[in-house]
Amino acid sequence: LLRSLGLSEYLLKAYPIAVENVFPNVTRERIDSLRQLFPLQVSNDVSWKRFGSEGDGGYLLSDDISESDICISLGIGDNYSFDFDLAKCCKRVLMFDHTITPPELLSPNMVFEKVGISGVESEDFTTIEKIVSNLPAENDLILKIDVEGAEWEVIESLTVETLGRFRQIAAEFH
């Protein structure tokens, strides 16, 4: 309906303004830089699947997960149903969260590290760049990130090459 009325272009232009009103602490520059990293591509040919529990803890991904994919899951909290569901479909799920007690790993291809994620490496924090550098280049990567406000810094710190390694990204921005 929006496309036939020619409104979709106007809505995409108005989207940053709406985000500014809902999230007044997020600058327009940050919104625009994030939109450039993730251009909107809508296709009717994509089949979506929800991984994880209903509500918080669940994320939509394209339903083309391969047995050779590796998922990097940043920010686990007390609900790791997403990680468990994804472990049923892909090669490995690498889980990172410095704020929780190590969870019971329900699948042999799930790995947990009690370390935080940042844009800069330090004693208690690592970076996506470092994690990705230790993974085989032939595996496609999936990123899930929900790190309570550090998402902006972490995403902005990525090189174009590392960002290009991810076939899918599910993010919750705060």
Side-chain angles (χ1 to χ4, degrees):
L1 177 63
L2 293 173
R3 188 178 299 146
S4 64
L5 294 174
L7 297 177
S8 46
E9 181 179 324
Y10 296 109
L11 287 175
L12 283 175
K13 289 179 182 176
Y15 176 75
I17 296 167
V19 172
E20 284 177 342
N21 288 321
V22 175
F23 302 102
N25 296 330
V26 179
T27 66
R28 178 65 174 256
E29 291 77 26
R30 184 165 262 184
I31 294 166
D32 289 341
S33 67
L34 187 61
R35 288 180 74 205
Q36 290 173 14
L37 288 174
F38 305 104
L40 181 62
Q41 296 175 345
V42 179
S43 170
N44 293 333
D45 300 330
V46 176
S47 174
W48 297 98
K49 181 175 180 181
R50 182 180 184 86
F51 293 88
S53 60
E54 292 297 320
D56 198 26
Y59 298 86
L60 284 177
L61 292 174
S62 173
D63 190 17
D64 65 349
I65 308 298
S66 163
E67 290 180 1
S68 65
D69 290 346
I70 296 173
C71 176
I72 299 172
S73 181
L74 309 175
I76 309 305
D78 60 359
N79 181 343
Y80 56 100
S81 58
F82 168 85
D83 308 278
F84 181 61
D85 281 355
L86 212 55
K88 297 172 188 174
C89 307
C90 66
K91 183 174 186 168
R92 273 189 292 168
V93 177
L94 309 176
M95 305 160 61
F96 298 85
D97 194 322
H98 69 293
T99 66
I100 64 170
T101 304
E104 177 187 353
L105 300 179
L106 301 173
S107 178
N109 62 338
M110 295 171 73
V111 177
F112 176 81
E113 288 192 44
K114 190 175 175 69
V115 64
I117 299 299
S118 178
V120 200
E121 195 167 352
S122 64
E123 184 178 336
D124 297 326
F125 290 85
T126 191
T127 65
I128 294 177
E129 296 285 340
K130 180 158 186 184
I131 296 168
V132 169
S133 72
N134 293 316
L135 297 175
E138 64 270 9
N139 294 98
D140 282 337
L141 304 179
I142 298 166
L143 175 65
K144 188 275 294 185
I145 181 169
D146 179 4
V147 288
E148 306 306 316
E151 300 87 3
W152 299 100
E153 173 198 351
V154 170
I155 294 293
E156 288 174 340
S157 72
L158 294 176
T159 64
V160 173
E161 293 78 20
T162 298
L163 197 56
R165 288 281 317 270
F166 294 101
R167 192 164 52 80
Q168 295 193 61
I169 298 175
E172 182 174 316
F173 287 93
H174 297 88

